[in-house]
């Protein structure tokens, strides 16, 4: 990797990924990630399934990431697809206040529209109100179908609810939506998908055309065909194609940090100056691995 | 004076006055209205009102609760969380007990660590035994340590099976066994057998065992364990010699004393109080 670029992937569903991915990401310079709450590929039928999922995002998964020297944050919210089961959605929304103040929660997300149904609209707005009440950043998922209209509607609804556009990240942009998003003062995130949609060649051109202000690159890697190294690979390609180092740092690190650190939970010191062993916290296993590759015990079968 | 009042006084000396005022108002409301939503919101908001970077500092307190908190380096957020939970349980155990259980069920790593470390300070601590035992199943070491090390709760409330599960897993996870309180008091025959079996497995795989692990077997030296004692006494590892010597000596058994006689220097050190489980590794 080009002389130690630090990378943040602000949208990656690590619960679906293996430890090989964590290892590769750490080696590629990823220092911190944000895991948005999303659906799991099939709808959940019980509120308890959401509870356990949210709990894993604030419990097991940050621990697992720490074992590979990566700092894990998450966003909590009811995703648009599952908002359509209203009886369940009602219970999930009740649960949210218990999670929004957990120490690795940096925003409400990913919320927004999928099919742009009335139920999706209702729970999107409910969660925007919660964000307003708690003064939290919002991470918005934009629809795959009827994308442009859905993106514009998402922004209009955010404004209607009195949110500051600088505190809202609109995700999954493409060349068709980016201008509108930036013009309105929102932050535009781009998901780099292998093969489909937004590839990293196209991303280079977006940065060339629109610059690096308020633009964020992410992988959205999940249980589907996706690449958890999409951000470091894009950073590398941008440098190769002559984008300035400063612009690469902004789009693949700094802008994500600025956007998601507003509630004070995400801090550069977490990876720049990791705490040493603190016996008083009865905590010592993690620090051994922080910032390094995991220990391989030669006695053990891998 | 109730535990909660002592903790409140200590918190008042150090915490932000605006946050304290807010907390007092919330608690008053929780007393009058019995609202689940208010409890959840109040508990959640503690994180943004009390500083986890500042440690509780108390000088010369006679309160066991405060001494326990400071000796465990509790920070102000931890103290505020424990205070709120104690307080609502004092207000109405039947109503707030299950709600506190809900809060703990969705705890993140730091919250769960706080809850487990200071569980013994809560009123009706036995109510949360399930959570404490569940914490033994974790692979997250900070959670496991919170319930296992320097914590009086397991010795007071775990049954033998739970205690043994904890002790064996602590050894398996290579935790510092000297930090488990009441090891002698909670020793039992079943645990002695488990220790012996586990040692045989490790030896068969040519792997080491923490010599501290042997401490609970003293009172239960049967023929199998006596052979283990010989193994320890004859070992080339000086720490194993010492562990074997301590087990034999404290067993008070004739056969064990004969094994111990092979290391008369160690026997003498024990008799003179120079070798104990506390200084085994020094």
């Amino acid at each position: 990797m080009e002389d130690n670029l630090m990378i943040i992937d602000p949208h990656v569903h690590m619960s679906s990924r293996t430890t090989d991915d964590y290892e590769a990401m750490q080696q590629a310079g990823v220092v911190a990630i944000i895991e948005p709450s999303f659906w799991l590929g099939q709808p959940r039928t019980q509120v308890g399934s959401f509870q356990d999922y949210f709990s894993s995002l604030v419990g097991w998964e940050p621990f697992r990431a720490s074992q590979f020297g990566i700092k894990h944050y998450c966003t909590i919210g009811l995703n648009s697809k599952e908002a359509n089961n209203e009886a369940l959605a009602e219970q999930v929304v009740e649960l949210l206040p218990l999670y929004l103040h957990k120490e690795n929660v940096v925003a409400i997300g990913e919320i927004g529209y999928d099919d742009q149904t009335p139920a999706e609209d209702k729970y999107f707005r409910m969660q925007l109100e919660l964000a307003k009440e708690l003064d939290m950043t919002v991470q918005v998922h934009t629809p795959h179908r009827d994308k442009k209209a859905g993106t514009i509607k998402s922004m209009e609804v955010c404004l209607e609810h009195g949110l500051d556009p600088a505190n809202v990240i609109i995700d999954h942009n493409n060349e068709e939506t980016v201008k509108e998003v930036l013009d309105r003062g929102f932050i535009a995130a781009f998901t780099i998908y292998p093969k489909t949609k937004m590839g990293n060649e196209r991303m280079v051109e977006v940065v060339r055309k629109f610059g690096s202000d308020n633009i964020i690159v992410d992988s959205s890697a999940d249980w589907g065909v996706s690449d958890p190294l999409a951000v470091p690979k894009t950073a590398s390609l941008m440098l190769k194609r002559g984008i300035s180092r400063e612009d690469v740092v902004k789009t693949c690190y700094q802008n994500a940090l600025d956007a998601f650190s507003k509630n004070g939970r995400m801090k550069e010191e977490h990876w720049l100056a990791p705490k040493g062993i603190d016996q008083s916290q009865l905590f010592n296993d993690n620090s051994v691995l922080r910032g390094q590759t995991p220990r391989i015990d030669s006695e053990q079968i891998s | 004076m109730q535990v909660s009042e002592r903790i409140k006084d200590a918190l008042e000396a150090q915490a932000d006055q605006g946050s304290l005022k807010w907390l007092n108002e919330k608690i008053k409301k929780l007393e009058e209205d019995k609202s689940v939503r208010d409890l959840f919101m109040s508990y959640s908001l503690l994180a943004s009102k009390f500083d986890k970077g500042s440690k509780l500092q108390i000088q010369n307190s006679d309160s066991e609760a405060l001494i326990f908190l400071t000796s465990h380096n509790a920070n102000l957020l931890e103290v505020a969380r424990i205070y709120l939970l104690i307080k609502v349980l004092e207000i109405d155990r039947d109503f707030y007990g299950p709600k506190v259980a809900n809060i703990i069920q969705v705890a993140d790593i730091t919250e769960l660590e706080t809850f487990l470390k200071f569980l013994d300070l809560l009123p009706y601590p036995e109510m949360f035994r399930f959570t404490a035992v569940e914490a033994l199943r974790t692979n997250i070491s900070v959670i496991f340590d919170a319930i296992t090390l320097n914590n009086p709760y397991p010795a007071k409330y775990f049954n033998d099976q739970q205690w043994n599960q904890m002790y064996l897993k602590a050894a398996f996870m290579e935790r510092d066994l000297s930090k488990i309180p009441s090891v002698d008091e909670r020793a039992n025959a079943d645990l002695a057998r488990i220790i012996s079996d586990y040692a045989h497995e490790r030896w068969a795989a040519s792997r080491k065992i923490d010599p501290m692990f042997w401490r609970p077997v003293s009172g239960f030296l049967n023929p199998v364990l006596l052979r283990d004692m010989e193994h320890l006494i004859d070992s080339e590892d000086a720490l194993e010699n010492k562990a074997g010597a301590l087990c034999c000596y404290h067993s008070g058994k004739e056969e064990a004393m004969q094994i111990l006689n092979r290391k008369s220097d160690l026997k003498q050190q024990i008799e003179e109080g120079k070798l104990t489980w506390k200084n085994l590794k020094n």
Side-chain angles (χ1 to χ4, degrees):
Chain A
M1 196 65 226
E2 288 69 14
D3 53 297
N4 303 324
L5 264 187
M6 286 192 295
I7 302 284
I8 292 171
D9 188 342
H11 188 144
V12 58
H13 301 280
M14 292 311 295
S15 303
S16 312
R17 312 298 309 191
T18 67
T19 55
D20 287 359
D21 291 333
Y22 270 127
E23 259 185 65
M25 290 165 81
Q26 194 271 342
Q27 280 163 14
V30 176
V31 290
I33 51 154
I34 297 168
E35 175 156 9
S37 332
F38 198 47
W39 77 309
L40 300 174
Q42 71 173 35
R44 279 162 282 210
T45 59
Q46 313 286 329
V47 68
S49 308
F50 279 90
Q51 179 176 310
D52 291 338
Y53 173 66
F54 293 149
S55 288
S56 79
L57 294 184
V58 301
W60 175 244
E61 204 54 41
F63 175 77
R64 203 165 78 100
S66 74
Q67 299 299 287
F68 298 89
I70 292 178
K71 183 71 193 168
H72 179 288
Y73 307 93
C74 67
T75 69
I76 294 286
L78 171 63
N79 68 81
S80 50
K81 275 180 187 286
E82 287 171 298
N84 289 303
N85 179 345
E86 283 202 59
L88 183 56
E90 211 54 54
Q91 300 173 62
V92 177
V93 167
E94 263 174 37
L95 199 58
L96 296 178
L98 266 182
Y99 284 97
L100 294 174
H101 278 277
K102 305 272 186 226
E103 62 179 18
N104 70 330
V105 177
V106 294
I108 295 184
E110 51 182 307
I111 59 173
Y113 297 109
D114 186 49
D115 281 321
Q116 303 178 53
T117 65
E120 289 172 18
D121 188 60
K122 174 179 166 190
Y123 291 100
F124 181 41
R125 289 170 184 275
M126 244 177 175
Q127 293 179 90
L128 293 178
E129 279 302 309
L130 204 52
K132 185 129 175 54
E133 189 181 341
L134 297 172
D135 191 23
M136 287 185 78
T137 300
V138 175
Q139 182 185 37
V140 174
H141 164 94
T142 51
H144 302 294
R145 296 168 296 280
D146 194 12
K147 186 173 206 66
K148 193 164 183 190
T151 303
I152 290 169
K153 185 171 177 196
S154 303
M155 291 189 287
E156 278 169 355
V157 171
C158 286
L159 293 173
E160 197 184 308
H161 284 264
L163 275 98
D164 175 2
N167 212 9
V168 178
I169 295 100
I170 305 289
D171 215 328
H172 314 312
N173 276 281
N174 60 25
E175 294 92 336
E176 296 299 307
T177 57
V178 57
K179 188 168 185 310
E180 195 89 36
V181 172
L182 293 175
D183 285 350
R184 290 170 188 244
F186 288 78
I187 296 164
F190 289 80
T191 297
I192 311 299
Y193 296 96
K195 296 175 192 148
T196 55
K197 304 181 202 165
M198 200 67 217
N200 60 358
E201 293 279 359
R202 283 164 64 193
M203 189 65 224
V204 173
E205 296 316 311
V206 167
V207 173
R208 214 189 289 287
K209 186 167 172 194
F210 293 94
S212 58
D213 288 348
N214 289 334
I215 286 183
I216 294 178
V217 178
D218 62 52
S219 74
S220 302
D222 59 10
W223 32 257
V225 176
S226 44
D227 187 349
L229 297 181
V231 185
K233 282 178 180 173
T234 304
S236 176
L237 187 71
M238 282 199 258
L239 288 172
K240 218 176 277 174
R241 295 277 191 272
I243 303 285
S244 77
R245 189 184 165 92
E246 189 199 339
D247 287 338
V248 176
V249 169
K250 277 169 76 180
T251 52
C252 298
Y253 179 81
Q254 193 64 48
N255 292 349
L257 176 59
D258 294 344
F260 286 100
S261 61
K262 289 192 179 128
N263 72 352
R265 297 188 194 280
M266 183 177 191
K267 290 187 181 137
E268 214 171 22
E269 70 191 41
H270 290 159
W271 53 91
L272 289 185
K275 268 194 203 145
I277 295 170
D278 183 352
Q279 292 289 338
S280 65
Q281 296 254 328
L282 308 173
F283 182 92
N284 52 34
D285 270 13
N286 299 352
S287 54
V288 179
L289 294 175
R290 205 165 283 145
Q292 296 146 36
T293 47
R295 178 174 58 112
I296 310 280
D297 184 345
S298 59
E299 286 172 88
Q300 285 177 353
I301 297 164
S302 61
Chain B
M1 200 189 250
Q2 280 180 309
V3 172
S4 64
E5 296 307 311
R6 303 300 296 262
I7 297 178
K8 187 181 163 192
D9 289 347
L11 206 52
E12 272 173 355
Q14 265 180 275
D16 170 74
Q17 292 307 308
S19 301
L20 284 166
K21 188 163 171 281
W22 168 84
L23 182 56
N24 287 335
E25 280 165 10
K26 287 291 173 191
I27 283 174
K28 195 156 168 274
K29 199 149 176 282
L30 289 168
E31 208 155 7
E32 288 161 1
D33 293 351
K34 306 267 171 70
S35 153
V36 185
R37 189 178 188 278
D38 281 346
L39 173 62
F40 286 1
M41 281 300 264
S42 305
Y43 177 84
S44 282
L45 283 163
L46 289 176
S48 53
K49 297 194 180 285
F50 290 88
D51 180 13
K52 66 178 175 182
S54 311
K55 305 277 186 211
L56 183 73
Q57 283 162 344
I58 301 293
Q59 256 110 46
N60 307 320
S61 176
D62 60 349
S63 155
E64 277 182 34
L66 293 183
I67 293 168
F68 188 74
L69 284 164
T70 46
S71 70
H72 283 69
N73 286 299
N75 63 52
L76 296 187
L77 175 56
E78 289 184 306
V79 176
R81 280 175 171 161
I82 289 297
Y83 168 66
L84 177 62
L85 298 184
I86 293 176
K87 191 70 201 174
V88 295
L89 288 170
E90 285 175 357
I91 290 171
D92 188 339
R93 171 199 171 158
D94 291 339
F95 180 79
Y96 283 120
K99 312 308 183 273
V100 170
N102 280 355
I103 287 175
I104 300 315
Q105 199 180 30
V106 305
D108 68 15
I109 296 176
T110 308
E111 290 172 87
L112 190 54
E113 183 197 359
T114 302
F115 180 77
L116 292 168
K117 268 198 301 192
F118 302 117
L119 186 47
D120 196 42
L121 298 178
L122 263 56
Y124 324 106
E126 69 282 0
M127 222 160 92
F128 301 102
R129 190 165 62 160
F130 176 79
T131 307
V133 174
E134 274 298 297
L136 299 178
R137 294 188 224 287
T138 183
N139 282 334
I140 303 177
S141 52
V142 63
I143 300 298
F144 183 79
D145 289 356
I147 188 65
T148 304
L149 307 183
N150 300 315
N151 193 334
Y153 187 92
K156 286 188 191 170
Y157 302 104
F158 283 8
N159 64 29
D160 277 354
Q161 180 272 322
Q162 292 158 343
W163 175 268
N164 296 350
Q165 179 191 345
M166 176 186 90
Y167 191 81
L168 179 65
K169 185 157 177 182
F172 185 78
M173 289 175 71
E174 299 181 349
R175 312 321 294 157
D176 182 352
L177 300 179
S178 70
K179 290 183 178 165
I180 300 179
S182 308
V183 169
D184 292 332
E185 291 82 346
R186 293 302 309 263
N188 59 79
D190 209 28
L191 181 57
R193 178 196 56 76
I194 290 168
I195 289 172
S196 177
D197 285 352
Y198 183 64
H200 296 170
E201 266 177 50
R202 300 280 291 187
W203 287 338
S206 306
R207 300 183 79 165
K208 292 237 166 217
I209 309 154
D210 182 349
M212 286 297 294
F213 187 47
W214 292 98
R215 183 171 181 175
V217 307
S218 294
F220 308 93
L221 294 184
N222 57 21
V224 175
L225 273 156
L226 282 166
R227 277 203 301 283
D228 292 339
M229 292 304 108
E230 291 187 298
H231 184 112
L232 293 175
I233 289 280
D234 297 338
S235 161
E236 287 175 2
D237 181 328
L239 289 179
E240 289 199 331
N241 298 158
K242 288 180 181 177
L246 283 163
C247 291
C248 288
Y249 183 86
H250 292 297
S251 77
K253 257 190 141 156
E254 185 49 36
E255 301 98 303
M257 292 310 256
Q258 278 172 22
I259 297 170
L260 176 57
N261 285 336
R262 298 181 198 174
K263 290 273 194 266
S264 54
D265 55 326
L266 292 179
K267 184 179 177 188
Q268 196 184 338
Q269 284 178 34
I270 297 171
E271 282 169 345
E272 291 170 358
K274 287 178 184 159
L275 171 59
T276 66
W277 284 110
K278 282 204 172 74
N279 68 14
L280 177 79
K281 290 186 178 176
N282 297 346

